[in-house]
Amino acid sequence: MIKCIAVDDEPLALEILEDYIRKVPFLQLAGKFENAANALRFIQEEPVDLVFLDIKMPDITGIQFLKSLKYPPMVIFTTAYGEYALDGFNLDVVDYLLKPVPFERFLKAAAKANEAFTANQQKAAPLDVATFVNDYIFIKTEYKIIKINLEDILFIEALKDYTKIYTPNLPVLTLRSLKSFETRLPADKFIRVHRSYLVSLNKINSVEKNTVMIANQSIPISDGYRDRFYDLINRNS
C-alpha cells in the first residue's frame, strides 16, 4: 500500500484527486491540503510515500515545496501549465499530469509510482536483512550479520540512508527502515515517539513535557505520536 497525500489550492481539484485515489486499491490517502505549508507540516510528522502536487500555488509553489524537502517522497505533479514539464523532469518526479486529468491518465501515473515503489522495496530486501526471533534480532550491517538482544536496545533513530540502533555499546547501522522495526518489534516494549525515533519503554529514565530521556539522550516526542505514547505510559502507571 502506497501512503499518499494530495496538495492543490483548488478545492474541486482536491475532490477529484481524492475520488481518483480512493478508486485505486494500492493507494491510501493520508491527507489533502490546500496549501503547501500545511502539507509540509504534515509530512514532517507523518512520512508518506507519494505526493500528488500542484505546481502553481500561492505563497509556496509545488516546485519550491519539493526543493525544500530534505528527503522527498515520490511526486506526481498535477498542473494546468505544460511549461513546467522540464522542471518536473529535472526534479525526477514520477509523472506530470495536465489538468483536467482523465482517470485513465491518473491510473497510468499511479501504476508508474507503484512500479517504482515495488522496485525500491525489492531492491532493499537483499540488503535489509533482519530476522526477529524470540528476544533477539539478527541485523545485516556492512559485511556481516550481528546479533542484538532486544533488552540491549536503547532507542532506534532514522537517518538519511540508514537506521541507527543504539545500545550500551557501539551503535549499529543498518539499511532496514525505522518503519520495519516499528511494525515487527514487540509493541509492549517499543514505541514510536517521533518520525525519526523508536524507543524502548524499559530504557526510559524520565519523561518531561515533549521529551523522553534515555541514557542521557534527549529524544523529542512529536505531536503525531504524543497521544498514543501517553496512553501507553498511563496504562502502565
Side-chain angles (χ1 to χ4, degrees):
M1 187 70 72
I2 299 176
K3 185 177 178 181
C4 62
I5 62 172
V7 187
D8 199 305
D9 64 321
E10 299 176 14
L12 179 59
L14 273 182
E15 289 180 16
I16 293 172
L17 282 174
E18 180 179 13
D19 180 56
Y20 283 2
I21 290 168
R22 297 195 186 283
K23 289 179 179 178
V24 181
F26 54 79
L27 295 181
Q28 176 189 357
L29 182 64
K32 56 180 183 177
F33 306 92
E34 293 187 13
N35 63 75
N38 288 341
L40 181 60
R41 281 192 290 270
F42 179 84
I43 65 176
Q44 285 174 339
E45 298 292 340
E46 297 284 342
V48 298
D49 304 306
L50 172 65
V51 179
F52 291 94
L53 182 63
D54 187 22
I55 292 180
K56 201 164 185 179
M57 295 183 290
D59 299 326
I60 304 174
T61 69
I63 291 172
Q64 291 170 330
F65 169 81
L66 180 53
K67 288 180 176 180
S68 73
L69 299 178
K70 191 174 182 181
Y71 311 120
M74 296 184 294
V75 168
I76 294 176
F77 275 145
T78 59
T79 181
Y81 303 91
E83 63 266 28
Y84 294 107
L86 181 59
D87 293 291
F89 177 80
N90 291 333
L91 290 168
D92 197 28
V93 300
V94 173
D95 210 338
Y96 187 97
L97 300 179
L98 281 175
K99 300 175 183 177
V101 183
F103 178 69
E104 293 78 7
R105 181 66 183 89
F106 175 89
L107 189 59
K108 183 177 179 180
K112 288 175 66 176
N114 190 43
E115 184 178 345
F117 181 77
T118 302
N120 286 336
Q121 297 279 53
Q122 293 175 344
K123 181 180 178 181
L127 301 173
D128 235 4
V129 177
T131 305
F132 294 72
V133 182
N134 299 325
D135 56 353
Y136 56 87
I137 55 176
F138 284 108
I139 297 291
K140 184 172 183 181
T141 177
E142 297 179 340
Y143 301 104
K144 60 184 177 181
I145 297 176
I146 65 172
K147 176 183 176 182
I148 301 177
N149 293 320
L150 298 189
E151 185 59 30
D152 290 336
I153 298 176
L154 302 173
F155 60 94
I156 305 174
E157 179 184 12
L159 302 174
K160 180 180 180 181
D161 298 315
Y162 298 91
T163 298
K164 182 181 287 188
I165 305 170
Y166 290 83
T167 71
N169 302 313
L170 293 175
V172 176
L173 289 175
T174 178
L175 289 173
R176 177 162 289 278
S177 70
L178 186 64
K179 181 66 175 178
S180 70
F181 284 105
E182 180 186 12
T183 56
R184 299 180 67 185
L185 284 171
D188 60 335
K189 295 181 179 179
F190 294 88
I191 187 168
R192 189 84 167 261
V193 296
H194 188 277
R195 67 188 297 265
S196 299
Y197 292 98
L198 179 70
V199 304
S200 169
L201 288 167
N202 291 335
K203 301 300 181 182
I204 294 176
N205 300 123
S206 64
V207 180
E208 183 176 351
K209 294 183 180 179
N210 298 322
T211 302
V212 172
M213 292 299 298
I214 297 179
N216 296 321
Q217 295 289 323
S218 177
I219 300 169
I221 305 171
S222 63
D223 292 342
Y225 300 95
R226 183 181 298 114
D227 290 345
R228 181 170 173 265
F229 173 75
Y230 279 108
D231 284 345
L232 185 58
I233 290 295
N234 291 332
R235 286 201 301 269
N236 290 289
S237 299

